Amino acid sequence: MAIIDFFDRGWGTNPRGVAYVQGERACSFQEAGELSCRLANGLIAAGFGKGAKAAVWAGNDVTAWICTLGIWRAGLTWIPVSGHSPPENSQFILDQFDCEVLFFTKAYKEVIDALRPRLPKIRLLVCIDADTEWAPSLTTWSADHPSTVPRVDYDMEDVVAISATGGTTGLPKGVMNTHRSMQTYFAQYMIACAYPSERPVNLAAAPMTHTAGLLSIPCTARGGTVVVIEKPDPKLLLDAIARHRITEFFLPPTVIYRLLDVPGIEERDFSSLRYLLYGAAPMSVDKLKRAIEVFGPVMMEGYGQTEAPASIAFLTPSEHFVDGKLAPDERLSSVGRPCPLVRVEILNEEGEVLSRGETGEICVQGDLVMKGYYKAPEQTAKTIVDGWLHTGDIGHFDAEGYLHITDRKKDMIISGGFNVYPSEVEQVIWSHPAVQDCAVIGVPHEEWGEAVKAVVELNVGHSTTPEEIIALCKDRLGSVKAPKSVDFVATLPRSPVGKVLKKDLRERYWQGEQRKI
């Protein structure tokens, strides 16, 4: 199936049903489908064919998302950009990935106007919600184009999205995902999140330019409703769950932690929830247990990456339990078992498959894997070797076949000849009641090469000391893995999807190697 076929399946089965809700606005499948057709016909009439690149610069917005559907319907390639990213980052992405068409909301008009001289490849600009002196409104631009489905021939290897890597370790690369890789992603999600009879109600709270947007597609394929809120504000989010009887949504762990701190959270009604998907970053096991107490047996972990979208493995709600009781920490700290349409193995440096229990690099094979990096064949060849996508994550399988991520390959700390995996240390620090979030990194050390440092964000109204954190880690992990120093910060640096930017943290301590422990 082409990516737009998933929306059209819902349109065909539930044309009068509500496809999207935002605030007081309800948008039917018929309305959304016809608008996406006018957009697609407009793009085709303007001379943009298969392979042309288009982007939507907006926050979470129903009409902005329908623009993305129109891009796909015309056979164009979507370049996701986030309204939460620094404008210079988005400008770099649009230019490097050869964007020719840009839809945007008026909230970003001044920013885009200032950047236009640095975006010479863009030939068409359309303002979604207003006419401007240099860009027509979406209504004006699309009015004369038919609302019938255009005829476009799709090939499963056509690139539907060029997504920037997270940039947590350097400049972003452009990941090319195809109809085939996206189809595999949606299929695996729909297998894991079963709906035998009811139509799902999806809450798009995280950025739709990232996981929330793509996770909305399986919902619409089932004829369900996607409720869009502008940002994952705890009050907006909790109110939306109750008001719209939400059945599924995705949040990164950092936002779940904020929800758990909301006064009176235990009194809220979460009876409609079937799946609360978490991922994009490791989650504290202690906070996961708390989330299960609050939200019920609905927690579901997803493991993936841009190069193998969001469905390498799932830890389903039922797998959080054993014989009716909460599963042991060993299981809860895993990312689940591999999904059915992908092969996952642990490989050593020589590319050999390791046995269960042995630690190596997590590698993936199958239709889920990206086509490659945009205009970067050398980077592609380093990442996809002999048909295996090398994820850069270090991990192992346990005896029951659950996959455990030890850490990112580039984040591993080598201190005095010993390997220290930050995620192991972070799990211990997260268990401290005063800790909201933390990141463990290596910093320069004259004798050991690197020393373990913890950078900690505290819960509001709580306090602790570096000595207490270090003592806790020494007691659980021993002195080698325990931090040698602890810094407290008001807020950890994060990407728009909630990943802690460890490269930004490391830069503070490695500049000129002036800071020593």
Side-chain angles (χ1 to χ4, degrees):
M1 290 174 67
I3 193 167
I4 193 63
D5 291 340
F6 286 86
F7 172 84
D8 286 352
R9 185 181 186 277
W11 184 7
T13 60
N14 192 22
R16 293 188 180 87
V18 176
Y20 303 101
V21 172
Q22 185 168 20
E24 299 305 314
R25 177 192 176 191
C27 178
S28 71
F29 275 92
Q30 190 73 17
E31 180 186 350
E34 289 182 353
L35 177 55
S36 73
C37 288
R38 288 199 298 275
L39 284 163
N41 285 312
L43 289 169
I44 293 167
F48 297 101
K50 281 177 61 174
K53 319 297 188 305
V56 183
W57 195 326
N60 277 7
D61 179 86
V62 167
T63 307
W65 182 248
I66 296 172
C67 288
T68 304
L69 298 179
I71 289 167
W72 284 328
R73 193 177 293 284
L76 275 65
T77 300
W78 175 51
I79 301 174
V81 290
S82 171
H84 300 289
S85 296
E88 294 75 15
N89 289 16
S90 295
Q91 180 268 324
F92 173 86
I93 289 167
L94 295 176
D95 187 60
Q96 289 296 304
F97 301 166
D98 299 325
C99 183
E100 298 175 71
V101 179
L102 180 61
F103 297 93
F104 64 95
T105 53
K106 62 183 178 182
Y108 299 98
K109 174 181 174 290
E110 291 184 8
V111 170
I112 293 169
D113 193 19
L115 293 176
R116 279 196 300 154
R118 294 156 59 187
L119 294 169
K121 298 169 191 172
I122 293 181
R123 298 189 287 126
L124 173 65
L125 290 132
V126 178
C127 183
I128 292 169
D129 48 354
D131 283 298
T132 76
E133 60 272 24
W134 45 267
S137 69
L138 186 64
T139 300
T140 301
W141 177 78
S142 65
D144 296 331
H145 298 293
S147 58
T148 52
V149 177
R151 179 169 180 173
V152 177
D153 294 324
Y154 304 106
D155 185 285
M156 292 301 288
E157 297 308 312
D158 288 342
V159 176
V160 299
I162 302 176
S163 306
T165 54
T168 55
T169 57
L171 289 176
K173 300 181 287 290
V175 176
M176 297 187 292
N177 274 302
T178 63
H179 291 290
R180 189 181 306 279
S181 61
M182 289 298 192
Q183 172 189 259
T184 307
Y185 163 33
F186 301 147
Q188 296 195 134
Y189 179 80
M190 292 171 81
I191 290 168
C193 299
Y195 284 91
S197 56
E198 66 184 303
R199 295 192 191 275
V201 183
N202 175 278
L203 178 62
M208 294 193 77
T209 50
H210 195 257
T211 307
L214 293 176
L215 279 175
S216 75
I217 295 176
C219 175
T220 49
R222 289 165 158 151
T225 300
V226 178
V227 178
V228 178
I229 60 176
E230 294 179 5
K231 57 184 178 179
D233 175 82
K235 185 180 186 306
L236 287 175
L237 200 154
L238 293 172
D239 289 348
I241 292 171
R243 178 182 177 187
H244 298 285
R245 303 297 293 167
I246 300 298
T247 66
E248 61 175 39
F249 66 105
F250 163 81
L251 288 177
T254 51
V255 180
I256 295 175
Y257 300 164
R258 296 208 321 258
L259 283 183
L260 294 175
D261 284 340
V262 172
I265 185 74
E266 298 87 353
E267 308 306 317
R268 293 274 188 160
D269 178 10
F270 299 114
S271 60
S272 63
L273 281 182
R274 297 278 300 277
Y275 304 99
L276 199 173
L277 187 67
Y278 61 98
M283 184 165 184
S284 158
V285 170
D286 285 345
K287 289 183 171 66
L288 173 57
K289 293 176 181 177
R290 167 81 172 135
I292 293 171
E293 289 179 3
V294 170
F295 299 112
V298 299
M299 303 302 292
M300 176 170 162
E301 181 166 17
Y303 166 55
Q305 55 182 200
T306 313
E307 293 87 342
S311 57
I312 294 173
F314 284 128
L315 186 67
T316 61
S318 64
E319 289 176 312
H320 288 70
F321 298 85
V322 176
D323 297 330
K325 297 180 180 179
L326 202 60
D329 288 3
E330 175 73 5
R331 165 119 28 118
L332 296 178
S333 65
S334 79
V335 294
R337 287 171 164 148
C339 294
L341 305 178
V342 66
R343 184 183 175 195
V344 183
E345 298 285 1
I346 308 298
L347 304 187
N348 63 16
E349 293 289 342
E350 289 72 41
E352 299 167 331
V353 176
L354 298 177
S355 302
R356 287 189 177 183
E358 293 187 284
T359 297
E361 185 171 6
I362 300 170
C363 295
V364 180
Q365 200 174 70
D367 289 346
L368 182 69
V369 174
M370 67 170 180
K371 191 169 188 175
Y373 293 119
Y374 185 63
K375 290 186 174 180
E378 292 183 2
Q379 289 283 353
T380 300
K382 290 178 183 178
T383 303
I384 302 177
V385 181
D386 296 329
W388 287 104
L389 171 73
H390 287 248
T391 66
D393 290 329
I394 301 298
H396 67 273
F397 282 108
D398 65 23
E400 295 181 295
Y402 288 93
L403 180 62
H404 297 260
I405 300 175
T406 310
D407 234 303
R408 287 292 295 170
K409 196 172 184 179
K410 293 180 180 179
D411 287 341
M412 186 178 73
I413 302 165
I414 303 176
S415 183
F418 292 94
N419 292 348
V420 179
Y421 295 106
S423 62
E424 185 180 9
V425 186
E426 288 162 355
Q427 279 291 348
V428 173
I429 297 173
W430 279 328
S431 70
H432 193 289
V435 173
Q436 170 78 354
D437 206 351
C438 70
V440 172
I441 59 173
V443 296
H445 192 280
E446 290 180 353
E447 182 180 352
W448 304 329
E450 289 183 287
V452 181
K453 173 181 282 291
V455 185
V456 176
E457 183 180 320
L458 295 176
N459 286 315
V460 176
H462 289 72
S463 64
T464 184
T465 64
E467 292 76 18
E468 190 173 333
I469 296 291
I470 292 169
L472 175 67
C473 293
K474 280 185 177 180
D475 181 59
R476 301 265 193 94
L477 302 171
S479 60
V480 171
K481 296 179 180 180
K484 303 305 178 286
S485 62
V486 177
D487 286 356
F488 296 106
V489 295
T491 306
L492 289 163
R494 294 186 179 88
S495 73
V497 294
K499 289 185 179 180
V500 173
L501 299 173
K502 289 190 175 181
K503 73 177 180 66
D504 290 2
L505 286 176
R506 279 192 289 264
E507 284 175 4
R508 302 176 188 177
Y509 303 102
W510 285 88
Q511 284 184 348
E513 297 193 5
Q514 295 173 354
R515 179 162 181 163
K516 307 294 183 183
I517 294 183

